[in-house]
Amino acid sequence: MKDLLFNNKFTCVAVSKTKPIEDIERIYNLGHKDFGENKAQELIGKHQKLPKDIRWHMIGHLQTNKVKKVVPISYLIHSVDSLKLIKTIDKESKKLNKVTSCLLQINISGEDSKYGLSAENLKSLVNNNLTNDYRNIQAWNCPTQELPRQVATGAGRCPGVSFGPKTPWWYRCGLCHGAKK
């Protein structure tokens, strides 16, 4: 278990939703610091009762009316799924003089029943340079890679991958696999 919890290749987030404080403390006392909650109220309540060096991950859908309470205590928000939410996180982060780390959730299927930024919204963010408009958000396209400040379209973004006319735009523009600053 410790090999999974303590390594430098990835971050293991213990999903603590519905778990009592005692269970979380047991894992914390092993030295684990990353815990995930899918409900804002659960995250807020557990943050108040547990050690302050825990890195809280908001892993569920986040409503804009909960952002004000979640931003100050979140290490990483995993589910940023709309332009409205990006703007709200940026606004609240600015008030705290904080840069909030986020993962962008992208609805690549286009299904209305799914959460996530639409292809059009994501293109707009990339084309208008997300980091210029929203300076208090650090957006990531996957847990290990920062969204490039300027995303270039074309081959060469992903080593060993060739691009053709049917390659999805998000793949060509470096939003997955090997994107570099």
Side-chain angles (χ1 to χ4, degrees):
M1 177 89 160
K2 285 191 176 185
D3 289 344
L4 287 174
L5 295 177
F6 308 106
N7 67 81
N8 61 2
K9 294 181 182 172
F10 59 87
T11 300
C12 180
V13 177
V15 177
S16 54
K17 63 182 189 173
T18 73
K19 300 297 179 200
I21 297 293
E22 298 77 29
D23 288 358
I24 299 167
E25 285 174 329
R26 222 173 327 193
I27 300 297
Y28 174 83
N29 289 333
L30 291 173
H32 192 67
K33 302 275 194 270
D34 290 273
F35 292 88
E37 283 295 330
N38 70 328
K39 293 183 179 173
Q41 288 306 115
E42 284 273 323
L43 187 149
I44 294 161
K46 289 176 180 174
H47 174 265
Q48 292 170 347
K49 296 176 182 172
L50 289 160
K52 298 304 174 222
D53 63 337
I54 288 178
R55 292 183 295 259
W56 289 106
H57 297 248
M58 179 65 201
I59 60 173
H61 175 69
L62 179 59
Q63 297 172 311
T64 54
N65 65 338
K66 307 279 189 198
V67 168
K68 188 174 189 170
K69 292 183 178 183
V70 169
V71 162
I73 61 176
S74 292
Y75 174 75
L76 179 61
I77 300 174
H78 288 237
S79 50
V80 177
D81 60 5
S82 71
L83 290 173
K84 182 179 178 186
L85 185 56
I86 289 171
K87 290 175 185 177
T88 306
I89 293 170
D90 185 66
K91 177 183 163 190
E92 292 303 323
S93 299
K94 198 173 291 179
K95 289 178 187 176
L96 298 168
N97 197 28
K98 174 185 179 181
V99 175
T100 301
S101 294
C102 302
L103 297 179
L104 302 178
Q105 183 176 349
I106 304 162
N107 179 351
I108 59 173
S109 72
E111 294 177 45
D112 290 338
S113 62
K114 307 283 186 210
Y115 288 115
L117 290 161
S118 67
E120 293 77 29
N121 285 341
L122 185 61
K123 279 184 186 180
S124 173
L125 283 172
V126 170
N127 291 337
N128 294 318
N129 200 344
L130 171 68
T131 56
N132 282 341
D133 293 337
Y134 306 104
R135 295 187 181 277
N136 290 82
I137 292 181
Q138 181 175 25
W140 300 67
N141 62 313
C142 73
T144 59
Q145 297 174 11
E146 187 176 348
L147 182 71
R149 291 192 177 274
Q150 294 180 349
V151 180
T153 302
R157 299 301 287 169
C158 304
V161 176
S162 59
F163 299 96
K166 293 190 177 188
T167 305
W169 69 266
W170 63 84
Y171 200 91
R172 289 193 314 267
C173 73
L175 288 177
C176 354
H177 309 286
K180 303 277 187 242
K181 276 187 187 179

